[in-house]
Amino acid sequence: MKLPVSSMPKVTIVKDSPTTKHVVVVPISNKKCVIKDQAKYLKQLDLDVFSGSNLIKIDSKQSLFFVDYQKKDEQVDTDIKKLGFSISSSIKKFDTVVFENFDELLSFLSTAASASEDYVRGDALISSPQERAMELLLYGIYFGAYEFDNYLTEKAEIAKKFLLVTSTLDVGCKNVVKKMTNYSKALWFERDLVNVSPSTSTPKWCSDHSATFLKEAGFSAQILEAPALKQKKYEGIIAVGKGSSQPPSYLIAKYKHKSAKKHVVLIGKGVTFDTGGVNIKPDGGKNMKGDMSGASTVVALGAYLAMNKEKVNLTLYVPFVENHINGLAYRPDDIIEYKNGLSVEVHNTDAEGRMILADALIDGSKAKPDLIIDMATLTGASHVAVGGEASTFYTNRKEMAKRVNESSATSTELSVELPLIKSYNALLKTDHADVKHTGGRYGGSITAALFLQKFVDKDIPWVHFDLSSAFQASSSGIHKAGATGEGLLLGSKLIESL
């Protein structure tokens, strides 16, 4: 199986509408056509009963897709994304979707986008309202077009081409189309990697496919497996991986740009399936194939930045393991001695993510980068704190918190800062080791972040994203069931802002 396995559409700028069979998008707002030349189509539609979208056939070559754009000032960005999502997710059995007079639609949407609260908050990262509107619309289109149907007998019949008819689009907007095309490639890879059956997505399988994807984007990559992990004393990765018949695999990848002024380390938690280990999960691990979403996101993020030839050097440290149960599995009361000299007492084997991240953070700190970013589905406590539509983040630098907040606004991927409360370090004290790896039920997300911080060089800016509340979804809003790709666009905005 080669990733991505899902069919990917293509967005193209053209000067004229095609002569082949296609669907024309007719956006409506306040019962009027957004594009003036499309007013003739309204006679096809009863606006008094119309709500949402309608597909109306005209002849053998052209059909009309009416879509209602309801502008709400307090959620303009979401509305534009939903518009794109509605178009791509609703139109089936047509190969080509056409946006006539696209510049007129873009002008309408950019007027709305320029007034949004998120545009104002993140204006340092966006050069124009037109580019903002273009990005949001394409974001919605790509999310709506994604279908993971690899195991279904009946395949989804999504549109393969989205044509933007215009001869006046500026260079900035054309660049957005190119970047969002690369974004879609990264997004498809991230979601497919997580959505594949966990009996397929073993640690080695994930490392191999991730390395291939990164190499295609311009990275060099190496994979460390059992003998090398033991020789180099990656004790956390080894401990968690012992309980599975599928051995752990550690991906290290590097991208260098000749004009780079910054070096960023990306670290992702890659637990390909999590039973909880000896402290087995009550439900046996349902949906825990998604516990590698941190890893899949940083791999996709690195590839996306490389495809865009971002002027930054990147190093990825991505440990993949399966947390399973057998006679060799690590257990509560085990003491793990890391190669930075810190000893860690295990209190709950279902808190395995921080054990493998510790090894990667030690490596990341040795690389002396300008910034370390780690992403992980780390704690249920994060989910409890902020609900299902946001991630949480922690950082050791106030300036970095400001950058993350701006990047969250411009990406529309909501992330909420939680505090690193120093006094909570007392909750990680234990009698027979330097530290224990869990701090109890209350403040669990905070104590998990404090544990990770112990493996980060204090002189290096660091951001930890806990994706537990946003890494996967049921079919709702602009998400299809399964992996969401949350953190990909947010992470790219953050790195672009450096």
Side-chain angles (χ1 to χ4, degrees):
M1 182 187 295
K2 180 173 169 45
L3 295 180
V5 298
S6 306
S7 299
M8 189 181 305
K10 185 175 182 180
V11 176
T12 308
I13 301 167
V14 297
K15 291 184 178 180
D16 301 297
S17 293
T19 56
T20 53
K21 185 178 180 181
H22 62 275
V23 177
V24 174
V25 176
V26 184
I28 294 172
S29 180
N30 296 323
K31 297 190 176 183
K32 293 181 180 179
C33 281
V34 171
I35 298 170
K36 293 178 181 178
D37 285 351
Q38 291 186 338
K40 59 189 177 185
Y41 297 141
L42 281 183
K43 61 184 180 181
Q44 305 278 346
L45 190 66
D46 185 348
L47 288 173
D48 291 328
V49 299
F50 172 73
S51 65
S53 58
N54 250 335
L55 191 65
I56 297 179
K57 188 173 180 181
I58 297 178
D59 55 40
S60 59
K61 286 189 176 180
Q62 179 174 283
S63 297
L64 299 177
F65 179 78
F66 292 90
V67 60
D68 195 16
Y69 174 76
Q70 298 178 347
K71 176 177 170 289
K72 302 180 184 70
D73 289 337
E74 70 276 11
Q75 55 178 50
V76 171
D77 295 343
T78 300
D79 292 336
I80 296 175
K81 288 193 296 184
K82 283 183 176 178
L83 176 67
F85 181 89
S86 177
I87 292 165
S88 58
S89 63
S90 301
I91 297 176
K92 307 289 184 182
K93 300 183 180 180
F94 280 85
D95 183 73
T96 305
V97 177
V98 176
F99 291 83
E100 293 180 337
N101 296 49
F102 181 74
D103 45 355
E104 198 171 337
L105 171 61
L106 187 62
S107 176
F108 173 83
L109 295 177
S110 62
T111 300
S114 64
S116 78
E117 180 182 343
D118 284 342
Y119 179 79
V120 174
R121 284 177 60 204
D123 59 1
L125 302 178
I126 307 174
S127 55
S128 76
Q130 288 78 16
E131 291 175 32
R132 172 69 164 170
M134 173 73 85
E135 184 176 83
L136 291 168
L137 182 66
L138 295 185
Y139 185 107
I141 287 173
Y142 283 125
F143 263 77
Y146 179 82
E147 294 281 357
F148 187 75
D149 57 7
N150 190 59
Y151 303 103
L152 297 177
T153 304
E154 187 175 337
K155 305 298 182 183
E157 298 182 82
I158 63 169
K160 296 181 177 64
K161 301 174 188 175
F162 291 84
L163 305 182
L164 315 180
V165 182
T166 175
S167 57
T168 61
L169 209 59
D170 65 32
V171 173
C173 288
K174 289 179 180 178
N175 286 336
V176 170
V177 174
K178 291 178 182 178
K179 289 185 74 171
M180 291 306 286
T181 298
N182 291 335
Y183 170 76
S184 71
K185 294 175 183 177
L187 178 68
W188 254 247
F189 177 87
E190 191 282 333
R191 297 176 86 173
D192 279 359
L193 192 72
V194 174
N195 288 336
V196 164
S197 168
S199 59
T200 297
S201 57
T202 63
K204 178 172 170 48
W205 188 91
C206 289
S207 276
D208 287 344
H209 281 77
S210 296
T212 298
F213 188 61
L214 287 166
K215 286 177 180 177
E216 290 172 353
F219 277 78
S220 61
Q222 63 171 319
I223 297 171
L224 304 181
E225 295 180 349
L229 292 173
K230 185 175 182 180
Q231 179 186 2
K232 295 178 182 291
K233 298 183 178 180
Y234 288 107
E235 302 299 340
I237 297 172
I238 292 169
V240 176
K242 285 193 303 184
S244 174
S245 61
Q246 301 292 340
S249 185
Y250 186 25
L251 170 65
I252 301 173
K254 296 181 179 181
Y255 167 78
K256 291 187 177 181
H257 193 286
K258 63 182 179 180
S259 301
K261 294 181 179 179
K262 300 288 185 181
H263 176 207
V264 178
V265 161
L266 298 175
I267 293 170
K269 172 190 169 185
V271 178
T272 61
F273 192 80
D274 182 16
T275 66
V278 173
N279 296 109
I280 193 167
K281 291 179 180 293
D283 62 357
K286 176 64 175 170
N287 294 325
M288 281 298 100
K289 67 179 183 179
D291 210 16
M292 62 166 153
S293 294
S296 61
T297 301
V298 299
V299 169
L301 171 57
Y304 172 60
L305 293 167
M307 284 187 275
N308 290 336
K309 294 180 169 54
E310 195 67 34
K311 294 178 181 179
V312 63
N313 290 336
L314 301 169
T315 305
L316 274 62
Y317 297 101
V318 190
F320 288 100
V321 301
E322 189 175 69
N323 188 23
H324 226 293
I325 312 168
N326 64 19
L328 299 175
Y330 86 124
R331 57 193 70 77
D333 295 335
D334 276 353
I335 295 177
I336 312 299
E337 296 181 87
Y338 285 88
K339 59 184 177 181
N340 69 342
L342 203 66
S343 60
V344 175
E345 185 175 86
V346 176
H347 273 227
N348 187 326
T349 61
D350 194 23
E352 80 297 329
R354 65 200 73 181
M355 300 295 288
I356 66 172
L357 289 174
D359 277 325
L361 287 167
I362 292 169
D363 280 353
S365 292
K366 283 184 178 178
K368 300 295 182 185
D370 298 289
L371 173 64
I372 295 175
I373 298 173
D374 79 70
M375 293 187 173
T377 50
L378 204 64
T379 68
S382 172
H383 196 165
V384 171
V386 297
E389 295 185 7
S391 64
T392 59
F393 77 92
Y394 298 82
T395 181
N396 59 359
R397 297 290 191 279
K398 288 183 179 179
E399 177 204 351
M400 205 53 63
K402 181 176 182 292
R403 288 181 183 272
V404 175
N405 285 326
E406 289 178 346
S407 301
S408 174
T410 56
S411 67
T412 70
E413 293 181 349
L414 181 60
S415 195
V416 179
E417 184 182 12
L418 293 182
L420 290 164
I421 302 174
K422 291 183 180 179
S423 61
Y424 284 19
N425 276 299
L427 299 172
L428 297 173
K429 289 183 177 179
T430 188
D431 293 331
H432 299 124
D434 296 322
V435 65
K436 62 178 178 176
H437 84 311
T438 63
R441 178 181 179 186
Y442 299 106
S445 180
I446 297 172
T447 52
L450 288 169
F451 174 82
L452 295 181
Q453 189 178 23
K454 296 180 185 300
F455 297 88
V456 179
D457 187 320
K458 66 179 185 303
D459 294 327
I460 300 173
W462 163 66
V463 181
H464 159 61
F465 288 99
D466 193 332
L467 305 177
S468 297
S469 50
F471 74 98
Q472 62 184 3
S474 55
S475 293
S476 62
I478 64 163
H479 292 298
K480 304 287 182 71
T484 62
E486 193 78 11
L488 171 52
L489 202 55
L490 168 57
S492 70
K493 297 291 187 186
L494 175 56
I495 293 171
E496 289 166 7
S497 76
L498 300 177

